[in-house]
Amino acid sequence: MEAAMLQALRDPAGVPSHPVIFLVLGVLTWALHIAAVQVMLGASALTLFGAFKQDAHWRRLAAAMLNTAKVAVSVAIVLGVAPLLFVQVIYDPFWYTSNVLSARWVIAFIVLLIGGYLALYAFYYRNPDMRAASTRGAWHLVLSIVLMLVVGWIMHVLSVQMLLPEQWMQWYAPAGHIDPSGQQLHAYHPARFAFFILLSGAVTGLWLLGYRRYLMGREDGHPAEDPTYIAWLKPLALNLALAGGVLALAAGAVWMLSLPEKMAWFATSAWMGAALVALLAAVSFPRLLGARLDTGLWGYAPFALGAVALIVVAAAREALRFITLLAAHGYDALDYKLNLDWYSTVLFFVTFAVLGGVVLGYLLTVAWKAGQTKGVYVPSPGLTRLGQVGVLLLVVWIVQYFAVGFYVWAR
Ligand code: HEM
């Protein structure tokens, strides 16, 4: 497809900040999205596995992972919206065309996601404490995992279709007959999808190490509740991290070997090399730490390194898209017309840093400390003040939002 045609599909209004901001934020937020997706899938799979076991440790882990999955699915959805906004701003000719070509699936995405979410909660409703009672209605959880995977598959197809503009006409009008139904999923790359999904094993293994360290920190001067559980978790987490890493790298190798011709450069690129090194480092790091995993903040370090590795993977994934569209189709996402809007740019960053920092800082600190306390947790006066400041800032934000809106409208 001609570069001029792709340019014509751009929003004539331009973008409100330099496109590089959208590009970088897209990479960072997608890395967070996929991290949450992987924890959600891994935690759901561990819950399902534990659901069929009688062993007390497995039951306890299943109960904890069910709670993790419930939170992770919400985080995955919220953090999915951010890259969605960024990708549609600087890659709109590609993203919207890909969406329209499979429009029914894009709409089904929401319905399937709601179904998966409800199925997870239905399972939780039937199994409020997996430690105390045997599993009921495991099929809810199976359904939830399947629907989540279908939802991910739809996103995968949209991401792949946008990279193949040379095939759009053939999909839109096969043999010259227009098919406006949007009911087909036209292009996919199973090895690419498998790479991102199998990486769940590695990410969840690293997450389990953090969970284990967190439980160890919950002593409050007393011995840990169940040292045998803590000891049991360690090999499970390490093996899961290793097995998930090996399987993901195998799928990644197949992906690299089966790249279409115009993307073949990626397999031997520095981007790909950096992603490989980052993943290998993240998977082997906990083993290198040895006994230090049980001390200080080291127990959390593997997951932190895993998050950094995912950012490198996300950057490589973006490089594949950016360079392919530039080299093969003459589309430079960074030369988007700039229509600088300082208000929205400043509002975005201030909201993110100040409101996000204070409100999330308060909520996460309360959740963390409550989990580490035996009995009833009472926040310190300083922390309570932080919560009050958070509420005040939210009120100020809402007032300024409507005030500016009315001012602009009335002008
Ligand atoms: C809950 C189940 C979900 C799963 C398993 C999932 C999984 C995935 C996977 C595997 C990819 C990478 C596809 C590829 O590059 O081949 C992806 C991309 C993406 N996901 Fe999700 N996702 C889920 C939910 C969501 C939701 C609810 C949203 C938005 C509201 C979302 C937004 C995105 C976006 C925008 C991308 C592509 C970003 C880009 O190309 O820059 N996802 N997702």
Side-chain angles (χ1 to χ4, degrees), residues 30 33 37 80 84 109 113 148 152 155-156 192 317 321:
W30 186 79
H33 166 62
V37 163
L84 185 60
F109 172 88
L113 181 61
M148 295 299 182
M155 275 299 151
H156 161 73
R192 170 175 169 149
R317 176 179 175 276
R321 172 161 60 193

Side-chain angles (χ1 to χ4, degrees), residues 26-27 30 33-34 37-38 40-41 73 76-87 91 95 109-110 113 147-153 155-160 162 189 192-193 196-197 255 317-318 321:
V27 169
W30 186 79
H33 166 62
I34 206 69
V37 163
Q38 285 161 342
M40 171 197 76
L41 290 175
V73 68
I77 293 170
V78 172
L79 290 174
V81 177
L84 185 60
L85 300 180
F86 297 124
V87 73
Y91 292 112
W95 183 256
F109 172 88
I110 305 288
L113 181 61
L147 289 177
M148 295 299 182
L149 287 174
V150 176
V151 164
W153 179 257
M155 275 299 151
H156 161 73
V157 169
L158 297 176
S159 301
V160 171
M162 70 181 286
H189 203 145
R192 170 175 169 149
F193 184 66
F196 291 122
I197 299 302
W255 175 19
R317 176 179 175 276
E318 189 56 58
R321 172 161 60 193

Side-chain angles (χ1 to χ4, degrees), residues 206 280-290 293 298 300-303 305:
L206 303 181
L280 288 175
V283 171
S284 46
F285 183 54
R287 285 175 194 266
L288 297 176
L289 281 180
L293 269 177
W298 285 109
Y300 304 110
F303 187 74
L305 187 64

Side-chain angles (χ1 to χ4, degrees), residues 285-370:
F285 183 54
R287 285 175 194 266
L288 297 176
L289 281 180
R292 255 183 299 176
L293 269 177
D294 299 354
T295 59
L297 291 176
W298 285 109
Y300 304 110
F303 187 74
L305 187 64
V308 173
L310 284 181
I311 293 175
V312 179
V313 169
R317 176 179 175 276
E318 189 56 58
L320 172 62
R321 172 161 60 193
F322 183 91
I323 298 174
T324 299
L325 296 184
L326 180 63
H329 302 284
Y331 183 90
D332 182 353
L334 292 181
D335 73 1
Y336 216 111
K337 181 177 147 194
L338 182 59
N339 193 358
L340 199 60
D341 176 352
W342 277 112
Y343 170 71
S344 70
T345 303
V346 171
L347 183 67
F348 174 83
F349 282 107
V350 169
T351 306
F352 183 70
V354 181
L355 250 88
V358 173
V359 175
L360 276 182
Y362 171 73
L363 291 176
L364 292 177
T365 311
V366 168
W368 181 278
K369 295 207 163 183

